[in-house]
Amino acid sequence: MSLGLVQVYTGNGKGKTTAALGLAMRALGHGYKAIVIQFMKGWEYGELRSASKLGLEIVRFGRASFVDRNNPAEEDIEEAKRGFRFAYEVLKGGEYDLVILDEINVAVDYGLISLDEVLSLIEIKPPHVELVLTGRYAHSKIIEKADLVSEVMEIKHPYRRGIEMRRGIDY
Ligand code: ATP
Ligand code: MG
């Protein structure tokens, strides 16, 4: 049994979600079953189109608008809760070898789902399932529970020079 640990990709630099997608690509190549559950994402990311070609499932929860951290809309909270319930069922089912909860750390930081809810996902994870939690601001309790934690640190980002989100690179 080679899978079964908990990984966290956090930090303020670019490359967390794409690292998780790269990991999924690798796992799929060895015949593992993988699913990406995205939180706070309603936009048309390129990976939604390419995933089906690889046999990767991506399920999105969220709206195509930014969430107000100080005053999240009821709909944003409801979407995140739906995502949480979906993730709970997926993990409990044990059907997938690799489960990626994309931006779940941000959903916790914004108060859309509780820290305890995320910790419960780590608790119920079947032993063979590799679980990946991405997003900035990973809670210290989540970091404590994880086996592998990578922090992507921004040294430079073209955004600073006024270069906006680029199709195929940022989404
Ligand atoms: P990616 O999805 O490209 O791997 P990410 O998951 O590390 O990026 P997030 O924190 O999820 O980054 O941010 C989402 C969006 O913001 C992405 O389009 C990403 O390119 C962009 N982004 C990431 N880091 C920065 C940064 N330091 N400054 C500005 N934009 C950023
Ligand atoms: Mg991301």
Side-chain angles (χ1 to χ4, degrees):
M1 207 185 291
S2 60
L3 306 192
L5 301 182
V6 177
Q7 306 189 25
V8 172
Y9 304 157
T10 192
N12 64 357
K14 171 177 163 59
K16 303 172 290 291
T17 296
T18 46
L21 292 170
L23 179 71
M25 185 172 171
R26 178 174 287 172
L28 290 164
H30 286 288
Y32 289 114
K33 243 185 119 171
I35 186 166
V36 180
I37 302 169
Q38 298 189 317
F39 291 81
M40 301 171 68
K41 276 189 172 169
W43 294 277
E44 287 302 311
Y45 283 81
E47 58 262 33
L48 290 171
R49 296 183 184 177
S50 42
S52 55
K53 294 179 201 161
L54 294 171
L56 173 65
E57 280 180 64
I58 301 185
V59 185
R60 279 186 305 173
F61 294 90
R63 301 187 297 149
S65 58
F66 285 99
V67 181
D68 182 354
R69 190 179 187 280
N70 299 313
N71 187 25
E74 201 51 52
E75 238 178 305
D76 295 320
I77 297 169
E78 195 41 55
E79 277 291 298
K81 299 272 180 222
R82 280 182 54 222
F84 166 76
R85 288 193 293 270
F86 182 78
Y88 195 95
E89 293 307 319
V90 161
L91 280 166
K92 220 174 54 176
E95 193 198 327
Y96 294 88
D97 307 293
L98 173 63
V99 177
I100 294 166
L101 305 178
D102 187 33
E103 313 302 351
I104 194 161
N105 295 327
V106 184
V108 171
D109 184 68
Y110 278 44
L112 304 181
I113 46 184
S114 73
L115 171 65
D116 283 346
E117 282 174 318
V118 176
L119 293 175
S120 78
L121 293 178
I122 296 174
E123 277 320 306
I124 63 148
K125 180 191 86 58
H128 73 279
V129 177
E130 189 90 4
L131 177 62
V132 179
L133 304 104
T134 89
R136 321 170 161 223
Y137 325 120
H139 196 285
S140 57
K141 284 268 170 17
I142 294 175
I143 287 174
E144 198 183 301
K145 292 271 179 218
D147 302 287
L148 183 159
V149 180
S150 287
E151 180 174 11
V152 185
M153 185 182 72
E154 182 194 324
I155 292 176
K156 285 178 116 179
H157 195 292
Y159 178 78
R160 304 263 174 218
R161 288 202 282 127
I163 296 175
E164 308 234 313
M165 298 234 286
R166 293 177 298 154
R167 184 162 56 108
I169 302 290
D170 294 307
Y171 65 94

